[in-house]
Amino acid sequence: MAQHIVSPEVHEHHTQEQESLKTAGFWLFLISDVILFGTLFATYVVLVGHTNGGPTGKELFEIQGFVISTFILLTSSFTSGLAVLQMHAKNLKGLIFWLVVTILLGGAFLFIEIEEFLTLIHEGANIGTSAFLSAFFVLVGTHGIHVTLGIFWCIGLIIQLRKHGITTVTKRKITNFGLYWHFLDVIWIFLLSVVYLMGVM
Amino acid sequence: MWDSIKEFAADFFVTGDPLIYGADVSIALVSIAIVFVLTYFKKWKWLWREWLTTVDHKKIGIMYLIASLLMLFRGGVDAILMRMQLALPDVEFLQADHYNAIFTTHGTIMILFMAMPMMFALFNMVVPLQIGARDVAFPFLNALSFWMFLFGAMLLNISFVIGGSPDAGWLSYPPLSELSGSPGRGQDFYIWGIQISGIGSLATGINFIVTILKMRAPGMKLMKMPLFSWSVLSASITILFAFPILTVTLALLFLDRYFGAHFFTLDGGGMSMLYVNLIWMWGHPEVYIVVLPAFGIFSEIVATFSRKTVFGYNSMVFAMMVISVLSFFTWVHHFYTMGSSADVNAFFAITTMAISIPTGVKIFNWLFTMYRGRIKFDLPMLWTMGFIPCFLVGGATGVMLAVAPANFQYHNSYFLVAHFHQVLIGGVVFGYLAGIYYWWPKLFGFKLDEKRGRWGFWFWNIGFYLCFFPQYFLGLDGMTRRVYTYGWDRGWAALNFASTAGAFLMGVGFIFQVWQIAYSVRKGERDKTGDIWNGRTLEWSIPSPPPVYNFARVPQVQHVDDWWREKEDRENGIVRPQPELEPIHMPKNSGIPFIMSSFWFLIGFGFTFDWIWLVIIGFLGVFGSMYARSFTYDVDYYIPVDEIKKTEQKLRGATT
Amino acid sequence: MSQHSADNHSHDHGHGHHEEEAHGSIKSYTMGFILSLILTVIPMVIVFNDLMGRTGTLAVILITAVAQLFVQMWFFMHIRDEKGPRYNLMALSLGILLVITIIAGSVWIMSFNSYTQ
């Protein structure tokens, strides 16, 4: 084992440096994700008028649905922040509690989104109806996939937290997850603005 | 039963062309030979332990290098086939669709599966050594990047014997690349091959940004960093911002083909030109991604072989950073003829011309570095000298192409073909070859044979000019790219014949290089000092090949060209203090990158053949691998001081 | 392996020189949450009740969205807390500049036939 050759303090020092690199790398990954969503936004903005004689956003979007899901996701961003605060207070139970709340809210958000998609498809507005709807489904859907992956990631982290407790390594993982979750919230705000609010104007 | 197998095979395997059958046989024979050799010499375990699971940047670099040289061979064969078809009018060597497939795979392979991995080979082989680090920031991710690239490349490469090659051009413009224009499997191989390796490229970009920003040896301020590392930083930044655009664009094309979306289709409100707009937002930065490291290589070589610090270090750094940002503002010059407004074309013409300014600055800096230097013409320097005039002409014709109104004449003609080969071969390939010659002794411990290398150099260079200069004139005479045959009445025969002769000369040059490597493995000059060129930067301060931990002691940097200064100090009797050895922290090997990438391969293959069960298996495997990695906490080990001492003694003799 | 930054290196391993990074408090998180709620409600109210003209509404939507971006970066993602050279902030700024280029550029370039479907 590693610790036999060096003292635990030295090993901890190396681990900390290693983990801080990973947060820096994760931040860069998030920026590449910004570009990814930016490209999808560009596609959407260019194609939003190309409805091919089919329904427009104004006809399709249900105000109630996207308003509720917005507040759910905003709240989950806040609760993920509370989880990080608990982590820094070294309170494992509180940390896990707020992470669970966060993924439950994330799940509720996803449920509403999937229901919205199914309703649209049922009404005959699917990905192949028009260029506008292709762009809509892919832009909003990509965000939804990110939320889904985030939930699975968080479940994995909760299991690891129960096994290892709050260590340098799990701390870095939770920090990165928190960044990811806030990032998804920010992306959603722009989705809300550009897709939904401008759509129903 | 027999009939259904036959039917399946007819769809699964590419049939009909004797060339393909020949390829089938040779692929089968080579595979059998490899399996036989590995089994006979009991090397499977060795292969797995030393290579397939390695996270050592040096070994990963070597694997990138081997893969890229193989891809250079494949892309080169494609080129020779095309030139044979075009050598004379009305040749009936290749059919039209076969020709389409060949120019598509030639372009795709040369840019994405030859230039990119050769660049990553140099990143991996050099950067950690040059900045005094023991590995990259994320060794596991580095291995994952390599295997993603390799499996992506394999996916594209098997298409010519299984399922059919893509044939819609190297950037696959819709509507031709849509289901309506390309119903075959080839286009899906193209999408998934690039998609999978593209994720690896993005990860490499992130990896090297963090490595360079956070892992430099103490004292090495950014403005004391060697210029090759600077060029890697600028290329990596460009990768970070460009590759997500490629991912999205190809994903949208896939959605069009697979789920009937209407992004780029002609019906349903889609816009095929939107694809062209998006793909060039990646495609233009991409060419700077591959050329920036070449600039870095030349800077190192010119300084070393002129025995001088590079002229205008600050302006070199500034120029590279400006190029990497400006490269995002020029993409429309690839499709001036689309019919956008005059304002759009004017704007992008100006940005395109602007980018030639920092490039020109660099050329002058190299020339001024050589001025009054005591230049030694070893192979790396020879290729650098070959590069400068070649790239200069390529750059000048680039400025001609940038003039939007004139561009309507050159667009999609052989003038353009000649231009981009001149910058990509003259700039990128010459640069990487120079870099390989330069750092080869560091990684392998022996020098590549000078005599055979010189033959290779002259065949490459004379062949290059003979091949591509006639193409400028063919373009001006009205020959468009991608035509597969032409008549005697066009008057293009003589120039085309000359061009084909040039291509063959380059092929001979490549054969000389292969011979050179094979010869040098046995008889090349061994490097005992670790500093065979009398180098200036940190990588030359350690033994060749370097031990697994690179640096026994973390170097303390004081100057630009620190190793050179240290050698000067030593001559003056000043010896820098040597701190005590400490146990070295190293990452453990892992098989997950290889396994996870092979699951990605299954996903790509499954989507290509509409085998959803395979796609599901692939995704389960990918997520399983990610979870397995996330739950692994035992990821590192320490090399004890005794072992370091022993290794150093063996490598350096008794001095340390 | 061992990492070492050129900018602040120390060889005394025993030291716990990694002080805790600043990471906000319950107060700052609550502030951020309330601010983002307000910034979300404003455009919603204006759009749903048709309170302003087209240009005005668009402006409000975009301004509140961007403001919200800053709120989340500041209060939740702690962008200002980075120590040493602010690489994160630099990378993000360049990223945002390029996103704007991608979107505005695409709209400008593709406007040549956006009304001919």
Side-chain angles (χ1 to χ4, degrees):
Chain A
M1 264 313 281
Q3 284 76 357
H4 289 197
I5 297 170
V6 296
S7 67
E9 290 80 27
V10 172
H11 184 66
E12 173 63 19
H13 169 81
H14 284 299
T15 311
Q16 277 180 0
E17 287 190 325
Q18 193 102 337
E19 298 306 305
S20 77
L21 288 184
K22 286 184 180 163
T23 305
F26 190 76
W27 183 263
L28 291 179
F29 160 74
L30 284 185
I31 290 170
S32 77
D33 232 14
V34 169
I35 303 284
L36 183 138
F37 276 105
T39 314
L40 288 173
F41 271 106
T43 312
Y44 179 83
V45 174
V46 169
L47 294 177
V48 67
H50 292 223
T51 52
N52 192 31
T56 62
K58 202 172 177 107
E59 293 156 30
L60 289 173
F61 300 149
E62 297 281 347
I63 289 178
Q64 201 192 1
F66 71 76
V67 169
I68 294 175
S69 53
T70 299
F71 287 111
I72 289 177
L73 203 65
L74 264 180
T75 313
S76 83
S77 186
F78 177 58
T79 56
S80 76
L82 294 181
V84 172
L85 277 183
Q86 293 293 324
M87 173 181 84
H88 288 298
K90 304 217 172 356
N91 180 354
L92 182 63
K93 271 198 179 140
L95 166 58
I96 291 179
F97 172 77
W98 286 116
L99 285 180
V100 171
V101 172
T102 304
I103 54 178
L104 287 179
L105 289 169
F109 170 85
L110 266 186
F111 179 79
I112 295 173
E113 182 162 292
I114 291 169
E115 206 173 51
E116 183 202 8
F117 278 16
L118 289 179
T119 316
L120 287 177
I121 292 168
H122 191 69
E123 289 168 3
N126 59 48
I127 193 169
T129 307
S130 66
F132 154 65
L133 280 166
S134 302
F136 165 79
F137 276 109
V138 172
L139 175 56
V140 180
T142 304
H143 178 266
I145 290 172
H146 274 77
V147 174
T148 315
L149 291 177
I151 291 173
F152 280 108
W153 181 14
C154 192
I155 292 171
L157 292 188
I158 291 173
I159 299 171
Q160 290 176 37
L161 277 174
R162 293 175 62 107
K163 209 164 134 192
H164 300 277
I166 300 175
T167 66
T168 312
V169 177
T170 52
K171 238 176 167 173
R172 181 266 305 169
K173 291 186 177 191
I174 299 293
T175 309
N176 286 359
F177 171 76
L179 284 176
Y180 180 77
W181 204 258
H182 296 314
F183 161 77
L184 289 184
D185 191 34
V186 173
I187 296 291
W188 178 258
I189 292 302
F190 281 89
L191 277 174
L192 169 78
S193 307
V194 174
V195 176
Y196 291 104
L197 289 181
M198 290 187 186
V200 298
M201 250 169 70
Chain B
M1 178 64 190
W2 179 240
D3 280 340
S4 65
I5 291 176
K6 251 163 83 182
E7 205 174 296
F8 168 78
D11 176 51
F12 191 73
F13 294 106
V14 177
T15 52
D17 194 314
L19 282 173
I20 301 282
Y21 291 130
D24 285 342
V25 172
S26 52
I27 288 174
L29 285 178
V30 170
S31 314
I32 292 170
I34 291 172
V35 171
F36 177 78
V37 167
L38 285 172
T39 314
Y40 186 80
F41 291 102
K42 299 199 172 73
K43 287 288 187 190
W44 285 105
K45 217 173 190 174
W46 166 82
L47 183 71
W48 176 258
R49 232 192 252 149
E50 296 292 318
W51 295 96
L52 301 190
T53 61
T54 188
V55 293
D56 181 344
H57 68 97
K58 300 179 284 296
K59 284 186 177 168
I60 290 172
I62 290 170
M63 290 194 287
Y64 267 123
L65 183 63
I66 294 169
S68 66
L69 289 174
L70 288 174
M71 289 293 104
L72 178 61
F73 172 71
R74 154 112 209 245
V77 170
D78 282 346
I80 296 281
L81 290 175
M82 281 190 287
R83 281 317 315 171
M84 279 163 73
Q85 168 66 22
L86 292 176
L88 289 168
D90 300 325
V91 174
E92 289 186 22
F93 171 57
L94 299 173
Q95 303 303 310
D97 49 349
H98 197 182
Y99 187 86
N100 290 349
I102 289 179
F103 73 65
T104 302
T105 50
H106 169 74
T108 312
I109 285 176
M110 283 301 200
I111 293 286
L112 287 155
F113 302 130
M114 187 282 286
M116 291 295 281
M118 207 180 268
M119 172 178 88
F120 291 147
L122 289 159
F123 280 23
N124 272 290
M125 288 174 1
V126 180
V127 170
L129 304 182
Q130 206 167 43
I131 61 172
R134 268 148 188 173
D135 208 318
V136 293
F138 314 116
F140 174 89
L141 188 68
N142 199 22
L144 183 63
S145 294
F146 171 74
W147 292 110
M148 294 287 275
F149 146 71
L150 193 76
F151 279 103
M154 287 306 109
L155 203 53
L156 188 94
N157 272 280
I158 57 168
S159 71
F160 88 114
V161 289
I162 293 173
S165 290
D167 55 2
W170 86 277
L171 281 185
S172 287
Y173 286 1
L176 179 59
S177 57
E178 292 283 358
L179 210 49
S180 53
S182 303
R185 312 274 186 218
Q187 193 54 41
D188 300 303
F189 272 125
Y190 170 93
I191 290 173
W192 283 99
I194 296 179
Q195 200 70 296
I196 291 170
S197 68
I199 300 169
S201 303
L202 178 64
T204 305
I206 292 176
N207 212 334
F208 277 87
I209 296 177
V210 178
T211 306
I212 292 172
L213 289 183
K214 305 272 185 185
M215 290 176 65
R216 276 166 289 124
M220 188 185 275
K221 295 255 162 24
L222 272 175
M223 292 312 276
K224 286 181 183 170
M225 189 163 73
L227 280 172
F228 178 68
S229 295
W230 261 111
S231 73
V232 173
L233 178 64
S234 62
S236 298
I237 290 172
T238 317
I239 289 176
L240 174 73
F241 294 114
F243 267 77
I245 308 177
L246 174 70
T247 305
V248 170
T249 311
L250 290 178
L252 299 184
L253 181 62
F254 166 73
L255 292 168
D256 271 8
R257 292 175 58 89
Y258 202 81
F259 291 104
H262 285 293
F263 288 101
F264 312 125
T265 54
L266 288 178
D267 57 340
M271 288 173 96
S272 38
M273 284 314 288
L274 180 62
Y275 178 93
V276 179
N277 173 59
L278 292 176
I279 199 92
W280 280 114
M281 282 181 183
W282 160 78
H284 194 77
E286 165 67 13
V287 299
Y288 285 94
I289 289 168
V290 290
V291 86
L292 279 167
F295 292 165
I297 293 166
F298 294 130
S299 305
E300 299 293 340
I301 290 173
V302 164
T304 303
F305 292 93
S306 308
R307 307 255 176 284
K308 284 171 70 187
T309 304
V310 80
F311 181 88
Y313 176 94
N314 292 354
S315 66
M316 285 293 213
V317 171
F318 187 67
M320 283 193 286
M321 298 316 270
V322 167
I323 290 172
S324 78
V325 174
L326 258 188
S327 69
F328 284 94
F329 294 84
T330 64
W331 76 91
V332 175
H333 69 221
H334 295 273
F335 50 101
Y336 281 141
T337 54
M338 174 177 82
S340 211
S341 70
D343 295 349
V344 171
N345 283 2
F347 176 84
F348 285 95
I350 292 166
T351 53
T352 305
M353 291 178 207
I355 213 165
S356 65
I357 297 170
T359 320
V361 168
K362 300 185 73 66
I363 303 243
F364 280 114
N365 282 343
W366 291 318
L367 294 177
F368 286 131
T369 309
M370 282 184 249
Y371 179 67
R372 292 194 159 179
R374 275 173 290 146
I375 303 176
K376 274 181 68 195
F377 287 98
D378 290 285
L379 280 176
M381 192 60 185
L382 202 57
W383 282 95
T384 307
M385 298 303 286
F387 148 82
I388 291 178
C390 196
F391 193 76
L392 207 62
V393 176
T397 53
V399 176
M400 287 169 74
L401 280 156
V403 180
N407 184 277
F408 280 67
Q409 279 301 313
Y410 312 130
H411 185 81
N412 267 1
S413 73
Y414 260 86
F415 189 89
L416 168 79
V417 174
H419 156 71
F420 71 69
H421 281 91
Q422 187 133 29
V423 282
L424 285 172
I425 295 180
V428 177
V429 177
F430 283 19
Y432 294 175
L433 288 176
I436 290 168
Y437 283 121
Y438 183 55
W439 281 298
W440 184 283
K442 178 49 52 193
L443 262 282
F444 295 94
F446 62 88
K447 208 162 134 181
L448 286 174
D449 180 61
E450 196 78 16
K451 196 170 130 202
R452 281 148 196 87
R454 281 178 192 269
W455 278 100
F457 171 80
W458 288 109
F459 268 106
W460 262 98
N461 266 266
I462 296 168
F464 176 83
Y465 288 102
L466 187 59
C467 183
F468 292 104
F469 261 58
Q471 293 186 5
Y472 284 115
F473 299 98
L474 284 170
L476 295 177
D477 286 348
M479 184 167 168
T480 51
R481 70 196 292 202
R482 293 171 178 168
V483 294
Y484 86 105
T485 191
Y486 54 93
W488 284 100
D489 54 332
R490 297 285 197 160
W492 298 337
L495 287 171
N496 266 308
F497 191 80
S499 179
T500 302
F504 272 94
L505 290 185
M506 285 197 279
V508 173
F510 181 73
I511 292 169
F512 265 105
Q513 290 177 309
V514 174
W515 181 20
Q516 176 192 22
I517 294 175
Y519 176 88
S520 311
V521 168
R522 288 172 294 124
K523 301 195 178 160
E525 182 193 335
R526 304 290 130 168
D527 173 23
K528 299 250 162 46
T529 57
D531 188 12
I532 198 161
W533 308 116
N534 196 5
R536 314 180 70 81
T537 41
L538 287 180
E539 72 268 32
W540 306 107
S541 68
I542 53 175
S544 309
V548 61
Y549 49 76
N550 299 348
F551 294 87
R553 298 178 180 82
V554 176
Q556 306 281 327
V557 176
Q558 295 167 7
H559 313 279
V560 180
D561 291 345
D562 196 65
W563 173 237
W564 181 266
R565 299 288 283 268
E566 191 178 338
K567 285 189 286 190
E568 280 181 346
D569 284 354
R570 273 189 205 170
E571 275 171 29
N572 298 332
I574 307 165
V575 180
R576 294 193 189 170
Q578 295 267 41
E580 277 292 294
L581 287 173
E582 286 171 34
I584 294 174
H585 187 220
M586 295 298 292
K588 269 192 181 156
N589 284 1
S590 169
I592 294 175
F594 180 82
I595 295 168
M596 183 166 152
S597 308
S598 54
F599 279 115
W600 273 107
F601 181 88
L602 297 185
I603 293 172
F605 201 82
F607 271 125
T608 302
F609 281 92
D610 269 349
W611 296 343
I612 290 306
W613 56 271
L614 195 63
V615 174
I616 293 170
I617 292 174
F619 271 116
L620 288 176
V622 167
F623 290 122
S625 309
M626 286 167 88
Y627 253 64
R629 174 63 184 178
S630 182
F631 279 78
T632 309
Y633 275 66
D634 181 21
V635 293
D636 45 8
Y637 71 101
Y638 286 86
I639 303 176
V641 173
D642 293 343
E643 207 182 313
I644 305 170
K645 273 187 186 151
K646 257 188 236 156
T647 316
E648 289 292 305
Q649 247 159 22
K650 215 172 86 194
L651 292 173
R652 292 179 188 257
T655 49
T656 310
Chain C
M1 77 250 88
S2 157
Q3 282 78 39
H4 26 71
S5 155
D7 305 299
N8 52 342
H9 182 77
S10 75
H11 242 295
D12 46 342
H13 280 161
H15 268 222
H17 65 74
H18 269 261
E19 327 150 27
E20 291 293 299
E21 302 135 45
H23 35 66
S25 61
I26 184 81
K27 202 175 125 201
S28 72
Y29 272 102
T30 315
M31 271 268 280
F33 186 47
I34 291 169
L35 274 175
S36 57
L37 284 179
I38 294 170
L39 288 169
T40 312
V41 170
I42 292 173
M44 281 182 175
V45 169
I46 290 175
V47 170
F48 299 153
N49 301 310
D50 279 330
L51 293 183
M52 288 165 89
R54 191 181 152 74
T55 324
T57 316
L58 279 179
V60 170
I61 291 175
L62 285 179
I63 289 167
T64 49
V66 171
Q68 170 121 238
L69 167 74
F70 283 108
V71 167
Q72 299 242 351
M73 299 297 310
W74 187 273
F75 289 99
F76 289 176
M77 296 172 92
H78 311 293
I79 183 77
R80 76 207 142 112
D81 290 347
E82 198 184 351
K83 289 195 298 277
R86 300 197 157 191
Y87 295 128
N88 289 357
L89 191 62
M90 288 190 248
L92 181 72
S93 314
L94 187 56
I96 290 174
L97 171 72
L98 292 177
V99 164
I100 293 169
T101 310
I102 292 168
I103 297 174
S106 293
V107 170
W108 188 36
I109 293 157
M110 300 314 293
S111 62
F112 76 112
N113 68 350
S114 61
Y115 298 104
T116 59
Q117 293 176 39

